[in-house]
Amino acid sequence: MIPIFSIETKERIGELEGHAAQVICLKLLANNRLLSGSQDNSSILWDIPSRAIISRFQGHTNTVRTICVLRNGTHFISGSWDHTMRLWNLDSGQCERIFRGHGQSYISSVIELLDGRILSGSSDNTIKVWNPDSETCQATWEGHRNRVYSLVQSMDGRVVSGSSDKTIRVWDASTGLCTRTIRGHTGY
């Protein structure tokens, strides 16, 4: 269940019910729609005002850990503990591509770069660069000593990654070189 709160009153005004297990990730879309990923191995596209399920996306064989809605507005990529990413069509509900390349490691973060390439962070301590049109891994960025949990791209094009190795790394998106390592966190 996903609770819905009023921004004005901060009171709970309803919920979205449809997943059979814990909800792990959410992405807000235009037109009052929400995309969720769950431990029930599925993603759901919701219409928030009516609280109705628009589409259910099934195909992963383990928890959906991360969701990235592409800028084209018609597709999203889900990353899973089943070691794959899947490219989904929001309108048809169909899986159009399956990306494999992190071995037996789970996918913890997925983003779309400004140039349209896809990045995935994984429990294999790497970041992989993907061509979304061909399912091919173009490069692997190495440097973290533990799981890569989060990725973001700044407006100037740099990529920032966070890891359970207690570091934040800044990467040049065009070369894949780590330009800075930031230390300061002391806990897991």
Side-chain angles (χ1 to χ4, degrees):
M1 172 182 41
I2 302 167
I4 304 171
F5 291 87
S6 166
I7 293 173
E8 291 82 23
T9 67
K10 298 178 179 67
E11 292 182 18
R12 188 174 179 155
I13 57 173
E15 58 269 333
L16 302 174
E17 295 187 48
H19 281 295
Q22 182 178 359
V23 174
I24 301 298
C25 53
L26 299 170
K27 290 292 178 189
L28 192 60
L29 286 75
N31 303 323
N32 289 310
R33 297 179 305 159
L34 180 74
L35 197 54
S36 59
S38 169
Q39 285 184 333
D40 66 8
N41 311 340
S42 74
S43 298
I44 295 178
L45 179 63
W46 305 87
D47 177 72
I48 297 171
S50 70
R51 301 182 186 136
I53 294 174
I54 298 170
S55 296
R56 185 181 301 268
F57 305 88
Q58 295 179 304
H60 283 295
T61 59
N62 207 323
T63 298
V64 176
R65 172 67 175 84
T66 183
I67 295 171
C68 172
V69 179
L70 302 186
R71 282 189 299 283
N72 65 18
T74 62
H75 290 81
F76 77 95
I77 293 181
S78 57
S80 172
W81 288 355
D82 70 4
H83 324 296
T84 70
M85 296 185 307
R86 292 176 183 255
L87 176 70
W88 302 92
N89 185 306
L90 280 164
D91 295 325
S92 72
Q94 298 299 307
C95 176
E96 296 182 355
R97 288 184 182 75
I98 300 175
F99 301 82
R100 293 179 175 90
H102 280 286
Q104 292 301 304
S105 300
Y106 64 82
I107 312 299
S108 53
S109 185
V110 176
I111 63 170
E112 179 185 22
L113 295 179
L114 297 171
D115 64 11
R117 294 178 297 159
I118 304 299
L119 288 187
S120 59
S122 171
S123 62
D124 67 3
N125 312 345
T126 69
I127 299 166
K128 292 197 179 283
V129 183
W130 302 88
N131 177 335
D133 297 322
S134 66
E135 302 171 26
T136 57
C137 178
Q138 298 176 320
T140 300
W141 300 353
E142 297 179 334
H144 282 294
R145 294 187 191 123
N146 212 323
R147 296 174 200 91
V148 177
Y149 275 124
S150 58
L151 297 167
V152 66
Q153 186 173 31
S154 64
M155 293 308 292
D156 67 5
R158 292 179 293 172
V159 172
V160 180
S161 60
S163 168
S164 58
D165 67 5
K166 305 174 191 169
T167 68
I168 297 168
R169 291 184 179 256
V170 181
W171 307 82
D172 181 316
S174 60
T175 65
L177 296 175
C178 179
T179 60
R180 186 170 181 201
T181 301
I182 303 167
R183 291 174 174 79
H185 289 284
T186 57
Y188 176 70

